[in-house]
Amino acid sequence: MNRSMMSRLTAAAVSVALLAAGLAGCGGSGDAETAEGEMIISVNNSEPQSPLVPSNTNEMGGGKVIRYLFEGLVSFDADGNQQLEVAKSITPNEDATQYTIEINEGWTFTNGEKVTASSFADAWSFAANVHNAQKQGSRMSVIQGYDELQDPSVAEDAKLSGLEVKDDYTLVVTLNQPDSVFPVQLAHQAFFPLPSAAYDDIDAFGHNPIGNGPYMLESWEPNKNIIVVPNPDYKGNRKVSNDGIEYRVYTDPEAAYADLSSGNLDVMDSVPASALETFQTGESIVAYSQPGSSYQGFIIPERLEHFGQDEEGQLRRQAISMAIDRDQIVSKIYHGTKTAAKDFTSPLVPEYTDDLPGVENLEHNAEKAKELWDKADAISPWSGEFKIAYNADGGHKDWVDAVCNQLKNTLGIDAAGDPYPTFSDIRERVTDRTITSAFRSGWQLDYPSAEDYLTPLYASASADGHGSNDGDYKSEEFDAALAAALSQTDEQARTEAFHKAEEILLQDLPSIPLWCDNVAAASAVGVQNVAFDYTNMPTYNTITK
């Protein structure tokens, strides 16, 4: 890792430590219809799975837009340094079980309503209440009263008991257990505020959201584009340098790249696999390549036959993982633009390490893989076909085919990809638990902490549709180890505790980590001020042309 990147991570780690001590003070082409002289930046996107409600969005088609329509209590800049936004200060008690949040006055939603402590408290309670079935509801599980709101008999308007609105600009948050990372977690979109109008009809609100971020919604034409324009009343740190963003929906990354190359698309956040070998030398585009944080892998649900949370299931997961030659795929297909997984996080978080006990389960070892598979067969003989489902509009076919070929050759099983036309198609099957095979999974970093990879993806509270634990992995041992890490206010002790939690994952393999995506992006010639943040995403507000 280069020195500048390391300094960024150090800054992020210092930010976490300071907060623990207390803070103060995918479609088609065609240009958007805009007035002459307006600088609208066109970018690639996929159709959002759901209406644009922050607590009900856990995929990037909607997430890319929501991040610019709303602003939270805190944010992270492009280098991963934390900064206050709506929050004036965030002060913990001695054991990090309670936080007093002072809110800046003067913030408003785009309908003129003031942003107050209740704007946050009501939104968090709405997200947590089981009747609202919010995909990111489990993000509230750390707050006192969450478990009570999971009872189906609870009142539809019941609130989190751990939230006390002291006055319009003071919110006291009491947690279920110590959580020294809570101020960092507040950067997640699930903690964004909502105006009171949202609760009249949350679905209608999601189609025409009213936010407090640097942009506001101009239009949304499903399966074509979403256009946002600057919010003149925005009070935060993300200054806008253009006249708007057109999030253009593409179902084929090759079509997006063709538009980019011909100057009909301004920015593409990830070039297709077919262009990775040549995109950095192409004269028709401007290429960007740097270390990234986006995790990629695939999940084998525990409900599938032969893959339960038992000895056979663990043996088969470990065998499959060892049968995969990640370095070969990264080299041959992706030309070094990805980093083979060594743990369940990424090199862009301070807690990353590549030498945890159990890392051998992520390393190619064909002989050991076959041995473990045979041991599993002795418990219960394998039959059938092993499939990996993926969305065909995301450029995943090449790696899925490569992985399946490696499984065939090493384990002697019938393995094949199972394509779904669009991301929304596969996400619906994953969300309602009707998918009957393994399936690709990806994770975009929300804030630079290992916790963001661990809690939402593997905690029991995030399973069963309450979060992003799509394989419904549940381990009391892992939950306890994660809780122990979050209770540590000392940075080094917290890092070591996170590593203990990851060691459990390396044995259980609730997902099969493959690699982290480096930034491999491009812009059209003439587009300027393109930068990428710690999430691998362009800083859309800075782009000009």
Side-chain angles (χ1 to χ4, degrees):
M1 186 177 300
N2 63 41
R3 182 173 298 175
S4 64
M5 183 59 65
M6 183 60 71
S7 68
R8 295 180 188 178
L9 299 187
T10 301
V14 170
S15 174
V16 173
L18 287 174
L19 281 167
L23 270 177
C26 292
S29 61
D31 293 331
E33 295 181 5
T34 58
E36 184 178 355
E38 285 191 343
M39 189 196 302
I40 303 295
I41 306 301
S42 58
V43 303
N44 69 299
N45 202 21
S46 57
E47 180 67 15
Q49 179 190 7
S50 306
L52 299 175
V53 177
S55 59
N56 200 39
T57 299
N58 63 352
E59 46 77 33
M60 288 308 296
K64 291 178 188 177
V65 184
I66 285 172
R67 286 180 61 190
Y68 285 85
L69 294 179
F70 294 85
E71 192 67 89
L73 293 163
V74 300
S75 68
F76 284 87
D77 66 17
D79 293 331
N81 301 310
Q82 190 161 31
Q83 52 198 4
L84 296 169
E85 294 289 357
V86 182
K88 184 177 182 180
S89 64
I90 303 173
T91 307
N93 64 357
E94 187 173 346
D95 64 353
T97 58
Q98 188 177 82
Y99 290 83
T100 299
I101 301 172
E102 298 291 340
I103 292 174
N104 280 308
E105 299 185 35
W107 282 75
T108 61
F109 295 102
T110 54
N111 65 349
E113 179 181 333
K114 292 181 179 179
V115 178
T116 67
S118 294
S119 306
F120 291 93
D122 291 346
W124 300 357
S125 288
F126 179 86
N129 193 306
V130 66
H131 293 294
N132 299 319
Q134 298 294 283
K135 298 184 185 77
Q136 296 280 12
S138 65
R139 290 279 181 172
M140 307 303 149
S141 62
V142 68
I143 301 174
Q144 193 174 88
Y146 174 83
D147 290 343
E148 290 78 358
L149 293 190
Q150 302 314 295
D151 185 343
S153 65
V154 74
E156 293 186 7
D157 61 352
K159 308 288 188 182
L160 286 163
S161 60
L163 300 179
E164 181 184 2
V165 177
K166 302 281 287 187
D167 56 50
D168 281 352
Y169 299 102
T170 307
L171 176 62
V172 178
V173 184
T174 302
L175 307 181
N176 287 316
Q177 60 191 31
D179 186 350
S180 59
V181 186
F182 183 67
V184 180
Q185 293 168 289
L186 290 173
H188 190 270
Q189 67 188 40
F191 291 97
F192 287 167
L194 293 178
S196 56
Y199 309 108
D200 296 336
D201 185 336
I202 194 67
D203 188 68
F205 173 83
H207 284 95
N208 191 22
I210 299 166
N212 65 322
Y215 293 86
M216 54 188 182
L217 186 71
E218 173 79 6
S219 63
W220 180 1
E221 187 171 345
N223 298 306
K224 181 182 178 183
N225 63 16
I226 296 174
I227 299 174
V228 300
V229 296
N231 173 10
D233 297 320
Y234 174 66
K235 305 282 185 190
N237 293 298
R238 291 184 289 169
K239 305 306 179 187
V240 174
S241 300
N242 51 55
D243 295 318
I245 307 165
E246 180 200 4
Y247 296 91
R248 193 179 297 169
V249 176
Y250 288 90
T251 57
D252 179 5
E254 300 289 348
Y257 193 68
D259 275 358
L260 185 83
S261 300
S262 62
N264 291 322
L265 180 71
D266 292 326
V267 178
M268 191 172 183
D269 58 50
S270 181
V271 302
S274 63
L276 289 176
E277 186 174 10
T278 59
F279 85 104
Q280 295 190 63
T281 58
E283 296 183 356
S284 61
I285 64 165
V286 179
Y288 306 90
S289 179
Q290 64 189 58
S293 62
S294 180
Y295 162 92
Q296 297 291 338
F298 62 93
I299 291 171
I300 311 172
E302 295 180 8
R303 63 181 179 273
L304 299 185
E305 186 179 5
H306 299 293
F307 290 101
Q309 183 72 289
D310 53 20
E311 183 183 5
E312 182 196 0
Q314 187 177 83
L315 286 169
R316 292 200 187 280
R317 285 183 171 82
Q318 291 178 3
I320 286 171
S321 182
M322 289 185 185
I324 300 169
D325 191 337
R326 295 162 176 80
D327 290 331
Q328 182 185 70
I329 295 173
V330 166
S331 174
K332 299 295 185 182
I333 295 178
Y334 295 112
H335 305 282
T337 59
K338 300 183 186 297
T339 302
K342 296 296 184 182
D343 75 345
F344 283 78
T345 69
S346 80
L348 293 197
V349 296
E351 304 90 347
Y352 174 77
T353 181
D354 61 3
D355 61 356
L356 288 175
V359 69
E360 62 272 10
N361 287 333
L362 304 185
E363 296 171 349
H364 183 226
N365 187 335
E367 183 178 350
K368 183 68 172 179
K370 181 59 176 170
E371 176 188 328
L372 295 178
W373 192 261
D374 290 344
K375 283 185 178 180
D377 275 348
I379 298 172
S380 176
W382 170 262
S383 62
E385 183 180 32
F386 184 81
K387 291 185 175 182
I388 301 177
Y390 64 96
N391 51 302
D393 63 349
H396 301 289
K397 183 181 188 304
D398 290 344
W399 75 256
V400 172
D401 287 348
V403 165
C404 289
N405 284 332
Q406 291 178 348
L407 297 182
K408 286 180 185 178
N409 295 335
T410 300
L411 304 179
I413 63 174
D414 189 6
D418 185 16
Y420 286 71
T422 68
F423 182 80
S424 294
D425 292 329
I426 190 173
R427 279 307 308 175
E428 289 299 331
R429 295 289 297 277
V430 170
T431 299
D432 63 21
R433 302 309 194 255
T434 58
I435 200 161
T436 58
S437 68
F439 54 89
R440 68 152 293 265
S441 65
W443 188 251
Q444 203 83 19
L445 186 64
D446 298 296
Y447 40 83
S449 168
E451 185 277 334
D452 188 51
Y453 292 101
L454 303 182
T455 301
L457 295 179
Y458 309 113
S460 296
S462 302
D464 300 324
H466 298 299
S468 298
N469 184 349
D470 292 329
D472 295 327
Y473 170 72
K474 297 172 187 174
S475 166
E476 292 182 1
E477 184 184 11
F478 172 75
D479 290 343
L482 181 58
L486 295 176
S487 70
Q488 298 289 342
T489 56
D490 176 76
E491 180 186 344
Q492 184 58 40
R494 184 169 58 244
T495 295
E496 293 174 0
F498 275 136
H499 291 167
K500 293 294 184 184
E502 282 204 77
E503 290 174 24
I504 298 168
L505 298 182
L506 283 168
Q507 296 305 314
D508 292 348
L509 295 175
S511 74
I512 309 296
L514 294 175
W515 41 71
C516 289
D517 296 335
N518 296 347
V519 171
S523 66
V525 174
V527 176
Q528 301 175 329
N529 300 309
V530 180
F532 295 83
D533 63 20
Y534 61 93
T535 73
N536 286 28
M537 285 293 101
T539 55
Y540 294 123
N541 56 297
T542 67
I543 302 172
T544 59
K545 62 179 180 179

